[in-house]
Amino acid sequence: MYNEWNLDSIDLTKEPPQEEPARQCYFMAKCREWVQDFAHRNKRIPTASIQTFGCQMNARDSEKLAGILEQIGFLLQENENADFVLYNTCTVRDNANQRVYGRLGYVHSLKKQNPAMLIALCGCMMQEESVIEKLRQSYRFVDIVFGTHNIYKLAELLHLRLTCCRMVVDIWPEGKNAVETLPVERKYSYKSGVNIMYGCNNFCSYCIVPYVRGREKSREPEEIVSEIEGLVKDGVIEVMLLGQNVNSYGRNLKSPLSFAELLRRVEAIEGLQRIRFMTSHPKDLSDELIQVMKESKKICRHLHLPLQSGSSRILKIMNRRYDKEQYLALAKKIRDEIPNLSLTTDIIVGFPGETEEDFEETLDVVRQVRFDGAFTFLYSKRTGTPAAAMENQIPKETAQKRFDRLLALVQQISREMDGRDTGQVMEALVEGTDSQHEGMVTGRLSNNIMVHFPGSAEWIGRIVPVRLLESRGFYYMGRMEEQ
Ligand code: SAH
Ligand code: SF4
Ligand code: F3S
C-alpha cells in the first residue's frame, strides 16, 4: 500500500516510471518539491480546498483527491480562499451544474486578488463535451480539468500545469484500470465509503450517470475485503458499500459472486460493526439479499430503494424494468421480513408525458408503502439522454405544483414513521457534537435516523445505547443508557 512508499527515496533525476502507482508517487514527490519551494518563498505552507457537489461516490473520490494533496504537502482547508481549489462536480440535475458555474464566478474574483491561485475541476460534469467547450471559451482562468476515470492522476496533472501548460485538460471516455492504492484522506475517522463497483449499465431514460461514469465494473471481492480490513485496523467501525446499483454487483467478475455473498464476506470481518450500502435497484433486489440482511448483526436496518415513479406506464418509459405492482410487492416483502427496517426512496416528478393520473399513482405508492424518508426531485432534462428528446416535456408550473403536493405527503408520512420507536433503547453511533446545543452530541441509529442527546466530544466514533425520549419529526431527543 501507499504507506510503504517513501517519497524521499524516489530518484527525481530519473524519468518518471510507466507503471502505477509508482508513477503517481513520482509525481507526488515532484509536486512536493514545488510545495517546499513555495513554503520557502512565502514563509507559509500552501493551502488547498476541495469542494464536493455530488453523491457518496463523488464524496469518496474527494477523499482520494484529498489523500494525494495531503501527501504532496498542501494544508487542506474547508473554505475556497486557498492556493489550490478543486471542484469535484456533479451533473445529475441541471441545478448541480448551475451551482458550479456560480462558484466559478466567485473563485475567479478570488484569483484576481491572488493570481498564483490554481483552480481545478473534475468529476461527472467534466465528462460532458459541451461543458469542456464552454470552459475553454469562457473560463480560461481554470488551470486543470479532468474527469471521473482518472482522478488518481491528480499529482501528474498538477505537475504538468506547474511545469508547462496553461490549461491542462485530460478527459477519458472510459475507465481503464483504476489505481486503488494511493493515499486516502478520510473525512471521518470512524466511518468510510468503499467503492464496490463503478459505472452503471441501466440507462434509465432520464439519467446521465451511465454516460459520465461509464460501464458497470465490479471490484474483486478480495480487494474490497482487504480494503475494509485495512480501514478497520485504522479505526473504522462502519462502512458504506458504494455502487450505482449494488444489487447487480459481481455479475461481470471472472468468478461471478452475488451482492448478498459479498455482504456475508464483509460481515465476517472482525472489528467491523456496521455495514450500509447504496444504492439498490428494485429490479435486481434478491430474496437472498433480504435473508442476508435479516440474519445479519452488522447490516444496518435501512434500505434505500428508489421508486422514481408509481405509474407503471411512466416506469416503462423510464426504462426502470419493474412496475407499480412489483415495487409494492417488493416493499411489502421487505417490511414483512424485517419489520424494524427503515425504507427510503427517490422520486422524480414531471417526467415527460407524466399525466395527473400518473402522478396520482405515485401518491398512491407513497401512501401504501409509507416511506420513512424520500428525496423528491423535479425532473431535469439532461442532454444526450433519451428522455431529453421526448416531445411532451411537462411545463414547469405543473411539475412544481405536483412536487409541492408530493413533498407535503412524504413529509407528513415520514414524520409519523420516524417517531415509531419513541421510548425504546437503540444503539447510536456518535458522529459529532451538536452545533446548536452545548453539551449535546448527535448519533446515527442503525435505521439512519439521528438522535441528539447529552454527551461529550470524546464519544465521537463510539456506539452507545440511547433511550429515544421524544420524536421531533425527523430526529429524536434522547438520553444515554448505562452500559
Ligand atoms: N443509481 C441510483 C441513483 C443515482 S442518481 C439509482 O438508480 O437509484 C440519484 C437520484 O437522482 C435518482 O434516484 C433519481 O431520483 C435522481 N435523478 C437522476 N436523474 C435525474 C434527472 N434527470 N432529473 C431529476 N432527478 C434525477
Ligand atoms: Fe441512473 Fe438508473 Fe443507473 Fe441509477 S440505475 S445511475 S438512475 S441509469
Ligand atoms: Fe452526480 Fe456523478 Fe454522483 S452525476 S450523483 S456525482 S455519479
Side-chain angles (χ1 to χ4, degrees):
M1 291 285 280
Y2 64 89
N3 292 332
E4 291 160 23
W5 286 95
N6 181 359
L7 296 191
D8 294 325
S9 66
I10 299 171
D11 183 352
L12 296 178
T13 58
K14 286 195 183 146
E15 286 296 299
Q18 287 305 314
E19 71 283 0
E20 298 291 4
R23 185 175 173 85
Q24 294 315 311
C25 290
Y26 174 93
F27 284 111
M28 283 193 282
K30 278 275 189 195
C31 290
R32 204 174 60 164
E33 280 189 331
W34 178 86
V35 162
Q36 283 158 357
D37 182 53
F38 178 104
H40 186 72
R41 277 184 286 119
N42 297 284
K43 306 279 176 282
R44 63 177 182 87
I45 297 171
T47 52
S49 175
I50 301 178
Q51 305 288 318
T52 307
F53 288 80
C55 59
Q56 277 95 344
M57 266 158 273
N58 206 238
R60 182 66 181 155
D61 286 346
S62 288
E63 294 186 343
K64 296 178 181 177
L65 294 162
I68 296 171
L69 292 180
E70 169 111 319
Q71 201 71 18
I72 290 174
F74 281 99
L75 196 63
L76 291 171
Q77 66 176 44
E78 290 284 323
N79 84 62
E80 289 155 90
N81 202 348
D83 299 297
F84 183 27
V85 188
L86 202 165
Y87 295 93
N88 191 7
T89 63
C90 169
T91 185
V92 76
R93 287 170 290 274
D94 187 53
N95 51 11
N97 298 47
Q98 292 317 318
R99 273 172 53 219
V100 171
Y101 289 122
R103 295 284 276 280
L104 279 177
Y106 166 66
V107 81
H108 193 193
S109 69
L110 294 178
K111 189 165 179 164
K112 281 179 188 150
Q113 289 155 32
N114 174 13
M117 184 177 186
L118 292 166
I119 299 168
L121 286 163
C122 68
C124 294
M125 196 174 145
M126 301 305 120
Q127 294 292 137
E128 290 180 90
E129 266 169 43
S130 58
V131 170
I132 302 300
E133 215 35 58
K134 187 164 168 171
L135 292 174
R136 282 193 200 277
Q137 282 183 3
S138 315
Y139 295 82
R140 298 292 310 160
F141 59 91
V142 174
D143 297 281
I144 304 169
V145 181
F146 54 109
T148 54
H149 303 297
N150 53 351
I151 58 157
Y152 70 88
K153 274 185 68 181
L154 172 60
E156 183 171 350
L157 299 174
L158 175 61
H159 179 256
L160 199 60
R161 170 64 187 86
L162 294 172
T163 49
C164 74
C165 320
R166 252 202 57 59
M167 191 187 203
V168 175
V169 181
D170 190 19
I171 310 288
W172 300 356
E174 263 297 328
K176 295 170 204 163
N177 282 335
V179 179
E180 302 274 6
T181 45
L182 290 174
V184 178
E185 176 69 14
R186 291 198 314 277
K187 195 166 171 196
Y188 305 95
S189 58
Y190 53 87
K191 67 171 184 179
S192 179
V194 174
N195 296 105
I196 64 165
M197 57 211 292
Y198 296 101
C200 182
N201 284 351
N202 290 306
F203 290 95
C204 302
S205 62
Y206 51 81
C207 184
I208 199 164
V209 171
Y211 305 89
V212 296
R213 286 270 169 180
R215 289 299 63 70
E216 185 178 294
K217 193 164 188 291
S218 297
R219 287 177 71 197
E220 291 294 339
E222 294 77 23
E223 219 179 282
I224 296 167
V225 167
S226 102
E227 178 174 335
I228 299 174
E229 285 170 346
L231 289 167
V232 169
K233 273 201 198 97
D234 204 28
V236 166
I237 58 170
E238 175 180 305
V239 290
M240 165 89 86
L241 308 180
L242 299 172
Q244 292 299 348
N245 174 11
V246 291
N247 297 318
S248 65
Y249 169 80
R251 288 189 190 156
N252 50 15
L253 287 174
K254 268 181 253 109
S255 340
L257 180 89
S258 70
F259 178 55
E261 186 52 40
L262 177 73
L263 280 173
R264 285 201 188 94
R265 295 200 195 177
V266 175
E267 172 106 17
I269 297 173
E270 219 168 298
L272 181 66
Q273 297 191 45
R274 280 184 166 185
I275 304 168
R276 299 183 184 276
F277 52 84
M278 276 275 224
T279 299
S280 283
H281 195 306
K283 80 177 164 68
D284 296 312
L285 197 141
S286 66
D287 288 351
E288 189 195 6
L289 175 66
I290 299 174
Q291 281 317 307
V292 168
M293 284 185 83
K294 191 176 167 178
E295 288 157 17
S296 167
K297 296 209 165 28
K298 297 184 180 175
I299 302 174
C300 290
R301 284 346 198 192
H302 174 219
L303 185 69
H304 187 64
L305 193 64
L307 166 68
Q308 313 301 5
S309 167
S311 154
S312 296
R313 190 183 75 82
I314 294 289
L315 284 168
K316 196 165 174 44
I317 310 172
M318 283 179 163
N319 193 29
R320 288 291 287 180
R321 286 170 278 174
Y322 54 85
D323 61 18
K324 179 184 178 186
E325 280 62 42
Q326 284 165 327
Y327 188 95
L328 285 173
L330 182 60
K332 182 170 184 319
K333 182 157 51 176
I334 294 164
R335 286 241 199 256
D336 287 348
E337 291 287 325
I338 317 172
N340 57 353
L341 176 130
S342 140
L343 194 59
T344 58
T345 200
D346 291 345
I347 301 170
I348 298 175
V349 175
F351 181 84
E354 182 187 72
T355 63
E356 180 58 27
E357 289 71 39
D358 292 317
F359 177 64
E360 292 284 345
E361 299 273 5
T362 299
L363 295 179
D364 185 43
V365 175
V366 170
R367 281 193 202 99
Q368 289 198 47
V369 176
R370 296 182 61 77
F371 292 106
D372 297 78
F375 294 107
T376 49
F377 304 110
L378 273 174
Y379 166 73
S380 172
K381 192 172 170 176
R382 309 315 292 132
T383 310
T385 62
M390 292 176 191
E391 273 166 13
N392 37 12
Q393 302 284 326
I394 303 295
K396 219 172 163 240
E397 308 73 62
T398 313
Q400 186 65 52
K401 278 195 192 128
R402 287 180 190 159
F403 180 90
D404 295 343
R405 283 162 66 198
L406 176 66
L407 188 65
L409 181 65
V410 297
Q411 287 191 342
Q412 181 209 324
I413 292 173
S414 61
R415 228 177 272 125
E416 293 164 13
M417 294 297 287
D418 293 354
R420 64 184 153 143
D421 295 314
T422 308
Q424 296 214 35
V425 176
M426 288 188 158
E427 292 197 321
L429 169 55
V430 183
E431 298 205 335
T433 49
D434 188 339
S435 53
Q436 308 286 316
H437 308 97
E438 188 141 340
M440 301 282 280
V441 291
T442 306
R444 191 180 295 271
L445 302 174
S446 169
N447 64 13
N448 213 32
I449 295 176
M450 306 305 288
V451 56
H452 300 261
F453 57 102
S456 83
E458 288 153 36
W459 300 358
I460 294 174
R462 269 170 51 191
I463 294 181
V464 297
V466 180
R467 186 169 298 277
L468 308 175
L469 298 173
E470 183 198 343
S471 166
R472 295 264 175 97
F474 305 111
Y475 63 92
Y476 288 104
M477 300 307 289
R479 180 187 64 221
M480 192 175 102
E481 290 283 293
E482 289 304 316
Q483 277 170 294

